[in-house]
């Protein structure tokens, strides 16, 4: 039986204002971080540093000769620093053949709809995706996402946001989250909408320790399953990047103290 979309009364005023409070807090932290960064720069300039002989930016990870993998990453669009950091982050890349393993995966990513800049960024953040097999890892994940209701462009957009998702097991990581969201009252289209906006929910956060804990907290505030589902569809980051103890609870307490 097809689930009916969640259609209920409007959410409590404090919940509607919560995302804006979180955004404002994040912006304030960003400004503080900028000021702190400026202070560090000034402080660093006041302390002379010993001169270190300059080394070639293209390093040999194995210690024998300039690394072809670093140069290959640069050819993808990374600068020297980004290419070296990527190899240091995931040294196993150097054990893979560029022609027979890495380049076919990049071609597959392009066929998925990612452009050169998105592919370079995806590899910087999740270099392990280059070591996943297309047949056993990448393609089944894309097939599952399309079965959820995402079209080709949406799958590419989700993969660009959270490239590590491509290596997640649909059965072990993705399906349990999708079924749990449906159990809250969402239909397939609403689950797809949530996943598209915050793909990190599929493998980036613990279902048991993170997402379910936040839902229980929302229920303790007086929201039933349907209202929780509506809140998540409208503000999917409630389940994601915001800390329950450090962000959500203090902001709700502040809003309630205002009488909302």
């Amino acid at each position: 039986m097809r689930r009916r979309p969640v259609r209920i009364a409007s959410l409590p005023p404090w919940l509607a204002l919560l995302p804006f409070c979180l955004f404002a807090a994040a912006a304030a932290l960003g400004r503080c971080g900028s000021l702190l960064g400026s202070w560090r720069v000034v402080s660093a300039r006041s302390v002379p540093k010993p001169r270190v002989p300059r080394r070639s930016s293209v390093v040999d990870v194995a210690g024998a000769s300039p690394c072809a993998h670093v140069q290959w990453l640069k050819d993808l669009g990374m600068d020297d620093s980004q290419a070296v950091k990527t190899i240091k982050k995931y040294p196993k890349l150097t054990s893979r053949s560029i022609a027979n393993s890495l380049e076919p995966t990049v071609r597959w990513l392009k066929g998925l709809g990612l452009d050169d800049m998105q592919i370079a960024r995806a590899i910087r953040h999740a270099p392990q995706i280059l070591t996943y097999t297309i047949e056993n890892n990448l393609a089944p994940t894309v097939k599952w996402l399309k079965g959820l209701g995402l079209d080709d462009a949406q799958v590419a957009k989700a993969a660009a946001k959270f490239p590590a998702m491509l290596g997640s097991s649909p059965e072990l990581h993705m399906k349990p989250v999708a079924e749990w969201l449906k159990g809250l009252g969402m239909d397939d289209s609403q689950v797809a909408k949530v996943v598209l906006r915050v793909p990190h929910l599929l493998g980036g956060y613990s279902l048991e320790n993170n997402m379910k804990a936040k839902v229980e907290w929302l229920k303790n505030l007086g929201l039933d399953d349907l209202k929780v589902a509506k809140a998540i569809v409208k503000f999917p980051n409630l389940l994601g990047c915001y800390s329950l103890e450090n962000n959500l609870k203090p902001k709700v307490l502040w809003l309630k103290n205002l009488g909302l």
Side-chain angles (χ1 to χ4, degrees):
M1 181 181 294
R2 182 179 177 85
R3 292 180 179 272
R4 297 179 61 187
V6 177
R7 295 176 181 173
I8 56 175
S10 60
L11 297 172
W14 60 262
L15 185 55
L17 290 174
L18 181 59
F20 300 100
C21 295
L22 293 169
F23 178 80
L29 286 174
R31 288 194 293 270
C32 291
S34 299
L35 291 173
L36 182 58
S38 301
W39 177 83
R40 286 174 177 167
V41 170
V42 173
S43 301
R45 288 174 179 171
S46 64
V47 180
K49 294 182 179 180
R51 297 189 64 181
V52 178
R54 185 175 181 180
R55 299 179 61 184
S56 172
S57 58
V58 180
V59 301
D60 171 21
V61 176
S65 62
C67 182
H69 289 75
V70 172
Q71 185 59 52
W72 180 75
L73 291 173
K74 290 173 61 180
D75 293 340
L76 288 178
M78 298 187 195
D79 60 28
D80 288 353
S81 176
Q82 291 170 337
V84 171
K85 286 180 180 178
T86 300
I87 293 295
K88 288 182 177 180
K89 183 177 182 179
Y90 200 73
K92 288 183 180 180
L93 283 182
T94 60
S95 66
R96 298 300 180 104
S97 166
I98 293 176
N100 299 326
S101 179
L102 304 185
E103 287 185 348
T105 302
V106 168
R107 287 196 296 271
W108 183 86
L109 291 171
K110 289 183 178 179
L112 187 61
L114 276 69
D115 59 32
D116 291 343
M117 184 179 297
Q118 289 174 322
I119 290 173
R121 181 183 180 277
I123 295 172
R124 291 202 315 272
H125 288 278
Q128 68 271 19
I129 64 174
L130 289 178
T131 62
Y132 297 146
T133 63
I134 295 173
E135 296 78 10
N136 298 328
N137 300 109
L138 304 178
T141 298
V142 169
K143 181 180 179 180
W144 185 87
L145 289 169
K146 290 182 178 179
L148 189 63
L150 275 66
D151 59 29
D152 291 346
Q154 290 172 329
V155 170
K157 183 178 180 180
K161 285 183 178 180
F162 184 44
M165 173 187 65
L166 293 174
S168 296
S169 166
E171 290 298 321
L172 295 178
H173 302 121
M174 298 182 167
K175 188 175 180 179
V177 174
E179 293 300 321
W180 176 70
L181 291 172
K182 291 178 184 179
L184 293 176
M186 298 184 198
D187 62 17
D188 290 344
S189 65
Q190 289 170 325
V191 173
K193 180 180 178 180
V194 168
V195 168
L196 180 61
R197 291 183 61 186
V198 188
H200 294 71
L201 297 180
L202 297 180
Y205 302 104
S206 167
L207 175 59
E208 295 296 329
N209 300 326
N210 187 307
M211 290 183 272
K212 287 186 177 181
K214 290 175 179 176
V215 165
E216 286 304 312
W217 172 72
L218 288 171
K219 289 181 179 180
N220 289 336
L221 291 174
L223 276 67
D224 58 24
D225 283 353
L226 291 179
K227 287 185 178 180
V228 168
K230 181 179 178 69
I232 294 172
V233 171
K234 196 168 185 179
F235 312 119
N237 262 321
L238 284 172
L239 295 181
C241 62
Y242 296 121
S243 165
L244 182 57
E245 298 298 329
N246 298 328
N247 297 108
L248 299 177
K249 286 184 178 181
K251 298 301 183 297
V252 168
L253 179 61
W254 179 73
L255 289 169
K256 285 190 170 185
N257 287 337
L258 291 178
L260 298 173

PDB file of all heavy atoms in Angstrom, residues 135-151:
ATOM      1  N   GLU A 135      31.799  -2.850 -10.043  1.00  0.00           N
ATOM      2  CA  GLU A 135      30.757  -3.872 -10.119  1.00  0.00           C
ATOM      3  C   GLU A 135      30.197  -4.233  -8.741  1.00  0.00           C
ATOM      4  O   GLU A 135      28.987  -4.424  -8.585  1.00  0.00           O
ATOM      5  CB  GLU A 135      31.301  -5.139 -10.794  1.00  0.00           C
ATOM      6  CG  GLU A 135      31.710  -4.956 -12.253  1.00  0.00           C
ATOM      7  CD  GLU A 135      33.066  -4.281 -12.388  1.00  0.00           C
ATOM      8  OE1 GLU A 135      33.762  -4.136 -11.350  1.00  0.00           O
ATOM      9  OE2 GLU A 135      33.410  -3.882 -13.510  1.00  0.00           O
ATOM     10  N   ASN A 136      31.069  -4.326  -7.733  1.00  0.00           N
ATOM     11  CA  ASN A 136      30.639  -4.833  -6.424  1.00  0.00           C
ATOM     12  C   ASN A 136      30.275  -3.748  -5.425  1.00  0.00           C
ATOM     13  O   ASN A 136      29.579  -4.025  -4.439  1.00  0.00           O
ATOM     14  CB  ASN A 136      31.726  -5.721  -5.824  1.00  0.00           C
ATOM     15  CG  ASN A 136      32.018  -6.937  -6.671  1.00  0.00           C
ATOM     16  OD1 ASN A 136      31.128  -7.466  -7.330  1.00  0.00           O
ATOM     17  ND2 ASN A 136      33.264  -7.385  -6.678  1.00  0.00           N
ATOM     18  N   ASN A 137      30.769  -2.529  -5.622  1.00  0.00           N
ATOM     19  CA  ASN A 137      30.538  -1.461  -4.647  1.00  0.00           C
ATOM     20  C   ASN A 137      29.780  -0.268  -5.228  1.00  0.00           C
ATOM     21  O   ASN A 137      28.679   0.061  -4.768  1.00  0.00           O
ATOM     22  CB  ASN A 137      31.870  -0.979  -4.061  1.00  0.00           C
ATOM     23  CG  ASN A 137      32.628  -2.076  -3.343  1.00  0.00           C
ATOM     24  OD1 ASN A 137      33.639  -2.538  -3.836  1.00  0.00           O
ATOM     25  ND2 ASN A 137      32.151  -2.507  -2.182  1.00  0.00           N
ATOM     26  N   LEU A 138      30.374   0.389  -6.206  1.00  0.00           N
ATOM     27  CA  LEU A 138      29.835   1.654  -6.686  1.00  0.00           C
ATOM     28  C   LEU A 138      28.501   1.506  -7.416  1.00  0.00           C
ATOM     29  O   LEU A 138      27.530   2.199  -7.108  1.00  0.00           O
ATOM     30  CB  LEU A 138      30.864   2.335  -7.596  1.00  0.00           C
ATOM     31  CG  LEU A 138      32.248   2.580  -6.972  1.00  0.00           C
ATOM     32  CD1 LEU A 138      33.181   3.214  -7.993  1.00  0.00           C
ATOM     33  CD2 LEU A 138      32.124   3.475  -5.745  1.00  0.00           C
ATOM     34  N   ALA A 139      28.471   0.607  -8.398  1.00  0.00           N
ATOM     35  CA  ALA A 139      27.249   0.451  -9.195  1.00  0.00           C
ATOM     36  C   ALA A 139      26.048  -0.017  -8.366  1.00  0.00           C
ATOM     37  O   ALA A 139      24.935   0.516  -8.530  1.00  0.00           O
ATOM     38  CB  ALA A 139      27.510  -0.508 -10.363  1.00  0.00           C
ATOM     39  N   PRO A 140      26.201  -1.002  -7.460  1.00  0.00           N
ATOM     40  CA  PRO A 140      25.042  -1.405  -6.640  1.00  0.00           C
ATOM     41  C   PRO A 140      24.502  -0.272  -5.770  1.00  0.00           C
ATOM     42  O   PRO A 140      23.288  -0.170  -5.563  1.00  0.00           O
ATOM     43  CB  PRO A 140      25.602  -2.548  -5.783  1.00  0.00           C
ATOM     44  CG  PRO A 140      26.726  -3.110  -6.574  1.00  0.00           C
ATOM     45  CD  PRO A 140      27.340  -1.926  -7.256  1.00  0.00           C
ATOM     46  N   THR A 141      25.397   0.571  -5.254  1.00  0.00           N
ATOM     47  CA  THR A 141      24.951   1.698  -4.430  1.00  0.00           C
ATOM     48  C   THR A 141      24.131   2.683  -5.257  1.00  0.00           C
ATOM     49  O   THR A 141      23.072   3.150  -4.822  1.00  0.00           O
ATOM     50  CB  THR A 141      26.154   2.427  -3.807  1.00  0.00           C
ATOM     51  OG1 THR A 141      26.858   1.516  -2.955  1.00  0.00           O
ATOM     52  CG2 THR A 141      25.705   3.625  -2.996  1.00  0.00           C
ATOM     53  N   VAL A 142      24.607   2.994  -6.452  1.00  0.00           N
ATOM     54  CA  VAL A 142      23.865   3.902  -7.341  1.00  0.00           C
ATOM     55  C   VAL A 142      22.519   3.299  -7.722  1.00  0.00           C
ATOM     56  O   VAL A 142      21.494   3.993  -7.756  1.00  0.00           O
ATOM     57  CB  VAL A 142      24.705   4.221  -8.593  1.00  0.00           C
ATOM     58  CG1 VAL A 142      23.864   4.923  -9.657  1.00  0.00           C
ATOM     59  CG2 VAL A 142      25.908   5.084  -8.221  1.00  0.00           C
ATOM     60  N   LYS A 143      22.500   2.008  -7.996  1.00  0.00           N
ATOM     61  CA  LYS A 143      21.245   1.336  -8.344  1.00  0.00           C
ATOM     62  C   LYS A 143      20.238   1.437  -7.199  1.00  0.00           C
ATOM     63  O   LYS A 143      19.050   1.702  -7.423  1.00  0.00           O
ATOM     64  CB  LYS A 143      21.520  -0.133  -8.675  1.00  0.00           C
ATOM     65  CG  LYS A 143      20.281  -0.909  -9.067  1.00  0.00           C
ATOM     66  CD  LYS A 143      20.625  -2.360  -9.390  1.00  0.00           C
ATOM     67  CE  LYS A 143      19.368  -3.149  -9.761  1.00  0.00           C
ATOM     68  NZ  LYS A 143      19.689  -4.571 -10.069  1.00  0.00           N
ATOM     69  N   TRP A 144      20.722   1.283  -5.965  1.00  0.00           N
ATOM     70  CA  TRP A 144      19.824   1.372  -4.815  1.00  0.00           C
ATOM     71  C   TRP A 144      19.278   2.789  -4.655  1.00  0.00           C
ATOM     72  O   TRP A 144      18.094   2.982  -4.374  1.00  0.00           O
ATOM     73  CB  TRP A 144      20.563   0.950  -3.552  1.00  0.00           C
ATOM     74  CG  TRP A 144      19.683   0.896  -2.350  1.00  0.00           C
ATOM     75  CD1 TRP A 144      18.917  -0.155  -1.922  1.00  0.00           C
ATOM     76  CD2 TRP A 144      19.434   1.964  -1.427  1.00  0.00           C
ATOM     77  NE1 TRP A 144      18.211   0.191  -0.793  1.00  0.00           N
ATOM     78  CE2 TRP A 144      18.502   1.480  -0.465  1.00  0.00           C
ATOM     79  CE3 TRP A 144      19.906   3.273  -1.304  1.00  0.00           C
ATOM     80  CZ2 TRP A 144      18.053   2.266   0.593  1.00  0.00           C
ATOM     81  CZ3 TRP A 144      19.439   4.060  -0.256  1.00  0.00           C
ATOM     82  CH2 TRP A 144      18.533   3.558   0.679  1.00  0.00           C
ATOM     83  N   LEU A 145      20.124   3.785  -4.839  1.00  0.00           N
ATOM     84  CA  LEU A 145      19.693   5.178  -4.721  1.00  0.00           C
ATOM     85  C   LEU A 145      18.635   5.517  -5.767  1.00  0.00           C
ATOM     86  O   LEU A 145      17.659   6.214  -5.479  1.00  0.00           O
ATOM     87  CB  LEU A 145      20.894   6.116  -4.858  1.00  0.00           C
ATOM     88  CG  LEU A 145      21.877   6.119  -3.691  1.00  0.00           C
ATOM     89  CD1 LEU A 145      23.142   6.881  -4.064  1.00  0.00           C
ATOM     90  CD2 LEU A 145      21.246   6.734  -2.441  1.00  0.00           C
ATOM     91  N   LYS A 146      18.813   4.996  -6.968  1.00  0.00           N
ATOM     92  CA  LYS A 146      17.811   5.232  -8.010  1.00  0.00           C
ATOM     93  C   LYS A 146      16.501   4.528  -7.660  1.00  0.00           C
ATOM     94  O   LYS A 146      15.414   5.043  -7.931  1.00  0.00           O
ATOM     95  CB  LYS A 146      18.342   4.766  -9.366  1.00  0.00           C
ATOM     96  CG  LYS A 146      19.460   5.642  -9.917  1.00  0.00           C
ATOM     97  CD  LYS A 146      19.915   5.162 -11.283  1.00  0.00           C
ATOM     98  CE  LYS A 146      20.999   6.083 -11.851  1.00  0.00           C
ATOM     99  NZ  LYS A 146      21.467   5.617 -13.186  1.00  0.00           N
ATOM    100  N   GLY A 147      16.610   3.350  -7.060  1.00  0.00           N
ATOM    101  CA  GLY A 147      15.407   2.647  -6.630  1.00  0.00           C
ATOM    102  C   GLY A 147      14.665   3.384  -5.535  1.00  0.00           C
ATOM    103  O   GLY A 147      13.448   3.226  -5.371  1.00  0.00           O
ATOM    104  N   LEU A 148      15.396   4.214  -4.790  1.00  0.00           N
ATOM    105  CA  LEU A 148      14.779   5.020  -3.738  1.00  0.00           C
ATOM    106  C   LEU A 148      13.961   6.167  -4.318  1.00  0.00           C
ATOM    107  O   LEU A 148      13.084   6.706  -3.652  1.00  0.00           O
ATOM    108  CB  LEU A 148      15.874   5.575  -2.818  1.00  0.00           C
ATOM    109  CG  LEU A 148      15.443   6.262  -1.531  1.00  0.00           C
ATOM    110  CD1 LEU A 148      14.725   5.280  -0.607  1.00  0.00           C
ATOM    111  CD2 LEU A 148      16.658   6.855  -0.812  1.00  0.00           C
ATOM    112  N   GLY A 149      14.279   6.519  -5.583  1.00  0.00           N
ATOM    113  CA  GLY A 149      13.517   7.583  -6.235  1.00  0.00           C
ATOM    114  C   GLY A 149      14.363   8.719  -6.771  1.00  0.00           C
ATOM    115  O   GLY A 149      13.831   9.687  -7.327  1.00  0.00           O
ATOM    116  N   LEU A 150      15.681   8.648  -6.612  1.00  0.00           N
ATOM    117  CA  LEU A 150      16.554   9.706  -7.119  1.00  0.00           C
ATOM    118  C   LEU A 150      16.848   9.462  -8.598  1.00  0.00           C
ATOM    119  O   LEU A 150      17.091   8.320  -9.019  1.00  0.00           O
ATOM    120  CB  LEU A 150      17.868   9.750  -6.337  1.00  0.00           C
ATOM    121  CG  LEU A 150      17.893  10.548  -5.021  1.00  0.00           C
ATOM    122  CD1 LEU A 150      16.983   9.901  -3.986  1.00  0.00           C
ATOM    123  CD2 LEU A 150      19.314  10.630  -4.472  1.00  0.00           C
ATOM    124  N   ASP A 151      16.830  10.544  -9.399  1.00  0.00           N
ATOM    125  CA  ASP A 151      17.204  10.405 -10.802  1.00  0.00           C
ATOM    126  C   ASP A 151      18.712  10.552 -10.951  1.00  0.00           C
ATOM    127  O   ASP A 151      19.439  10.728  -9.964  1.00  0.00           O
ATOM    128  CB  ASP A 151      16.454  11.428 -11.665  1.00  0.00           C
ATOM    129  CG  ASP A 151      16.724  12.869 -11.258  1.00  0.00           C
ATOM    130  OD1 ASP A 151      17.820  13.161 -10.728  1.00  0.00           O
ATOM    131  OD2 ASP A 151      15.842  13.734 -11.477  1.00  0.00           O
TER     132      ASP A 151
END
